[in-house]
Amino acid sequence: PPRSTLFPYTTLFRSDSLQELGQRGDWERCLEVAQSMGQDGIDHYVTMHTTALLKQGQPEEAIHVFVQHGTPAGNLPVYKQVAKEVLGRNRSKSALDGTWLPAVKEVREVLYKLWSAIRSSSDVDRADLSEIERLLQCSHFLCLHAAVKGKGGPMAELEQKMATTLVRFCDILPADMVFYEAGQACKAVNKLNQAFVFTNRFLDICDAMEEADSSAMIDNADYEATDIPFDFNIPDKRPYLPENEREAVREWVLTLSMDQKVEIGRAHV
């Protein structure tokens, strides 16, 4: 038969081969076959590989696959899950930027390309687009905060603004991290009321991490007039601060609460 009549069958066999190679974990060979199929094949490979990496608990590797091989717009749930897992993965305060920031920057790059591709599409659900936008904003502000953190001087005010902005993403980012960093940044610029409220929230979250029903323990009264989420990301038993540093923070909060010169009130963000 003419070659043209064989093409659909050849494509079908290659697709079957992609599935088999993916199931075996032979991603190098899977990519080679996908590249011979054109962009549709590569998009299929990217979706397969990133989904497999997510199942293996490797979201940082998954986002790297998106960076290397393109950003197919067809599977938004995978993008959202990869972004949430990279952004929401908790780490210690002592973790070096090089161990987590590169993956966050890749999330920002991938989400921006995705958002640019789908924002004008009538086929994309508005709720999905809104969620992608919020994840993009979260990754961007997290990168900005990392760029100014600890610089001091005139950058201290900017760090405080970035840290305070990040508490609005406490349902995505590790909640203990964002409230601690916001409290410390406010303390550095002598905004002690906000520092107290944010740091007290941090301590509440640390206590909640040790309980089974963590969300029920936290009082939201100080945040009722704000746009800070109540349903936030409680880290999984790996706190941002070690216990000895948390105790020092508790002592500072207790001391400040007894200082009559400081007006303790609700959060102003």
Side-chain angles (χ1 to χ4, degrees):
R3 179 180 176 84
S4 60
T5 63
L6 293 175
F7 179 74
Y9 301 101
T10 305
T11 303
L12 178 61
F13 294 146
R14 286 177 178 171
S15 180
D16 289 342
S17 178
L18 281 182
Q19 296 288 351
E20 293 170 2
L21 291 167
Q23 288 172 2
R24 295 205 301 265
D26 189 353
W27 297 110
E28 184 175 347
R29 176 59 183 151
C30 187
L31 176 59
E32 291 177 3
V33 174
Q35 288 172 331
S36 72
M37 299 168 62
Q39 192 59 50
D40 287 346
I42 294 173
D43 289 351
H44 186 43
Y45 155 81
V46 168
T47 299
M48 287 174 53
H49 197 180
T50 52
T51 300
L53 288 167
L54 277 175
K55 290 179 180 178
Q56 295 165 14
Q58 301 181 64
E60 292 86 358
E61 291 299 320
I63 201 68
H64 196 55
V65 170
F66 282 129
V67 171
Q68 285 184 307
H69 303 295
T71 309
N75 200 343
L76 297 184
V78 176
Y79 284 102
K80 291 190 288 186
Q81 186 178 351
V82 169
K84 287 175 182 177
E85 292 197 18
V86 171
L87 295 172
R89 180 159 291 188
N90 56 326
R91 56 184 179 274
S92 69
K93 179 174 176 287
S94 60
L96 299 175
D97 285 358
T99 63
W100 62 270
L101 189 56
V104 173
K105 289 181 176 179
E106 288 188 338
V107 167
R108 179 175 63 173
E109 176 186 343
V110 166
L111 290 180
Y112 179 73
K113 289 179 179 177
L114 176 64
W115 174 78
S116 299
I118 67 174
R119 60 177 174 168
S120 300
S121 173
S122 59
D123 296 330
V124 176
D125 185 85
R126 294 297 96 182
D128 283 333
L129 181 61
S130 178
E131 190 171 1
I132 293 294
E133 287 176 344
R134 190 160 183 267
L135 289 166
L136 174 58
Q137 290 171 350
C138 179
S139 61
H140 181 57
F141 287 127
L142 188 56
C143 290
L144 290 179
H145 178 254
V148 300
K149 183 181 175 184
K151 296 294 191 294
M155 302 296 282
E157 287 282 353
L158 184 56
E159 179 183 349
Q160 183 265 328
K161 290 178 181 178
M162 288 296 101
T164 302
T165 295
L166 287 176
V167 301
R168 293 182 170 90
F169 299 96
C170 62
D171 55 333
I172 298 172
L173 299 170
D176 64 335
M177 177 190 77
V178 294
F179 283 102
Y180 174 79
E181 290 293 344
Q184 293 298 297
C186 290
K187 179 181 175 183
V189 295
N190 206 36
K191 294 184 177 182
L192 296 182
N193 173 54
Q194 286 179 276
F196 176 87
V197 174
F198 289 140
T199 306
N200 203 42
R201 182 74 144 188
F202 160 74
L203 293 173
D204 287 343
I205 291 168
C206 291
D207 292 339
M209 290 169 66
E210 300 175 0
E211 301 295 330
D213 186 12
S214 57
S215 59
M217 292 183 58
I218 299 176
D219 182 9
N220 294 312
D222 287 337
Y223 296 86
E224 287 179 352
T226 74
D227 58 355
I228 297 173
F230 295 165
D231 182 18
F232 40 63
N233 176 17
I234 300 288
D236 57 352
K237 307 299 181 185
R238 290 178 293 174
Y240 187 60
L241 283 189
E243 185 173 356
N244 63 318
E245 292 187 38
R246 294 201 302 273
E247 288 308 309
V249 171
R250 287 184 195 279
E251 291 180 10
W252 179 82
V253 167
L254 181 60
T255 300
L256 192 65
S257 69
M258 295 186 293
D259 188 344
Q260 296 183 357
K261 296 178 182 179
V262 179
E263 182 182 354
I264 303 300
R266 295 188 175 189
H268 301 287
V269 294

